[in-house]
Amino acid sequence: MLCISVEEFLFWKKKQLSKGGDQQSLAVLIDCVGGITTRDLNLIGFNPRGNLYLKKNLEFLESLWDDHLQKSCPIQYLCGITFWRELKLKVSNKVLIPRPETELIVDIVSNIYPNNLEKLFFAELGTGSGAISIALALGYPLSVGVATDIDQDALEIATNNYINSSKQSNLKFYCGNWWSPLESFKGKFDLAISNPPYIPRDTYEKLPKEVKDFEPKIALFGGEDGLRHIREIIQKAPLFLKEKGWIVLENHFDQSEKVKQLLIKNKFTSTEIVKDLSGIGRFTIGRYK
Ligand code: GLN
């Protein structure tokens, strides 16, 4: 631990922000690499003459911040950590950085199943860092989940994140494409969730540098119209869901109506478009028969 005066630290912080970037990203760096939480920082105000203890020196933190500003590399990849709901998750460029809007998927599930002692059997397809499944496995301790991902490196990160977040063992990870590793669970799921790659080609080409140059294309690109993977997931869902089982999908801002029609075509009922906090129809849900 390195001892540094609050005064020196605040001066350093101001200097970093004057170079560019936003408060939130700097806070992630200071917390994850420096070891000083936002709560610690808020308390500093009460004792400006005190000292702070850093895990890494300011030169090192500054070199990461400069990398972030100069190369547009997301701060979460540079720190190897992100915060999502109540979780602190490891991330690398093998997984998408879980987005704040995706946090709502967990709330949608809690609206469907308000009793947290529900014994659900759920599947998440394309788990990435494991964020959604881990939050559900923690929120429904008597439930059992399985999460798939096509990328073995992503699954290693997800497994690690689960072990670091939970003392339970109610979540298992399987390597493979969408439903394919789950053949032995046909007709058994109460719930399926997915935030699959859904960005259409035109949009993908125009994504901001910090997304396109750093985040995995395999986790973002959804084919020509963006719906390639959503289509496959929905078409096979009736084989895997129980009768009355739910599906909850995230989609691009303008895809909800099409996703709803795909669900109806595949015999789903109670279909609904759920808006995110910006009022965008970001999620589509339905019940199998
Ligand atoms: N919401 C993500 C983005 O805007 C895309 C996630 C996805 O394709 N599933 O970059």
Side-chain angles (χ1 to χ4, degrees):
M1 285 289 189
L2 303 151
C3 183
I4 165 180
S5 76
V6 166
E7 208 177 351
E8 191 186 342
F9 179 76
L10 291 178
F11 179 77
W12 175 87
K13 191 168 164 252
K14 209 165 160 186
K15 180 179 155 209
Q16 304 317 309
L17 281 174
S18 74
K19 294 193 267 184
D22 60 87
Q23 288 258 13
Q24 239 180 342
S25 303
L26 188 59
V28 170
L29 174 71
I30 292 170
D31 183 337
C32 298
V33 184
I36 297 175
T37 65
T38 305
R39 193 171 168 274
D40 296 335
L41 286 181
N42 290 336
L43 291 173
I44 277 179
F46 296 108
N47 188 13
R49 300 199 178 279
N51 288 321
L52 277 168
Y53 295 89
L54 281 168
K55 282 203 294 201
K56 297 272 184 218
N57 65 33
L58 291 180
E59 288 72 33
F60 181 69
L61 294 182
E62 184 158 1
S63 69
L64 291 180
W65 187 245
D66 289 343
D67 255 12
H68 165 63
L69 296 179
Q70 282 156 20
K71 301 185 188 138
S72 303
C73 180
I75 197 76
Q76 294 89 338
Y77 287 152
L78 287 168
C79 300
I81 294 280
T82 196
F83 296 97
W84 191 84
R85 288 189 76 97
E86 73 286 9
L87 302 170
K88 189 172 180 176
L89 301 166
K90 281 194 181 156
V91 287
S92 80
N93 62 0
K94 294 288 176 186
V95 300
L96 196 77
I97 300 164
R99 306 288 198 263
E101 59 268 27
T102 306
E103 296 188 2
L104 272 181
I105 287 196
V106 181
D107 299 314
I108 294 171
V109 173
S110 354
N111 283 335
I112 298 175
Y113 300 104
N115 176 4
N116 75 320
L117 298 179
E118 199 89 48
K119 292 179 179 157
L120 302 170
F121 186 38
F122 71 84
E124 189 202 354
L125 309 177
T127 192
S129 64
I132 301 171
S133 284
I134 295 169
L136 290 177
L138 287 169
Y140 294 92
L142 305 183
S143 292
V144 171
V146 293
T148 70
D149 204 285
I150 199 161
D151 189 296
Q152 188 60 47
D153 293 335
L155 279 184
E156 256 166 55
I157 291 174
T159 308
N160 228 293
N161 280 330
Y162 178 56
I163 293 168
N164 290 338
S165 317
S166 176
K167 291 190 182 68
Q168 276 194 255
S169 54
N170 60 338
L171 179 60
K172 286 210 164 66
F173 297 94
Y174 292 85
C175 193
N177 196 30
W178 310 129
W179 295 103
S180 43
L182 307 178
E183 285 288 315
S184 56
F185 304 120
K186 273 187 172 157
K188 293 214 163 56
F189 292 107
D190 300 291
L191 167 71
I193 323 107
S194 186
N195 171 21
Y198 52 65
I199 309 278
R201 182 179 303 281
D202 287 356
T203 315
Y204 183 79
E205 299 307 335
K206 292 183 212 128
L207 283 176
K209 191 172 154 57
E210 61 267 29
V211 179
K212 191 163 177 249
D213 290 0
F214 296 94
E215 301 207 69
K217 184 174 183 184
I218 194 174
L220 289 161
F221 180 57
E224 228 36 64
D225 66 351
L227 291 167
R228 182 197 291 163
H229 305 291
I230 291 186
R231 230 177 256 120
E232 180 175 343
I233 290 169
I234 293 179
Q235 277 163 5
K236 296 200 179 132
L239 293 172
F240 291 87
L241 287 172
K242 281 183 190 163
E243 285 227 353
K244 301 267 178 256
W246 285 92
I247 192 162
V248 177
L249 296 167
E250 182 175 319
N251 47 254
H252 207 30
F253 71 96
D254 57 354
Q255 291 170 340
S256 272
E257 199 46 56
K258 284 189 190 138
V259 177
K260 189 174 160 180
Q261 291 312 318
L262 278 170
L263 285 172
I264 293 170
K265 208 171 129 193
N266 286 278
K267 299 199 172 67
F268 281 80
T269 60
S270 309
T271 52
E272 205 185 308
I273 294 169
V274 183
K275 290 184 176 159
D276 66 14
L277 296 177
S278 331
I280 290 167
R282 173 73 60 191
F283 310 96
T284 313
I285 69 172
R287 195 168 205 194
Y288 182 55
K289 289 205 281 197

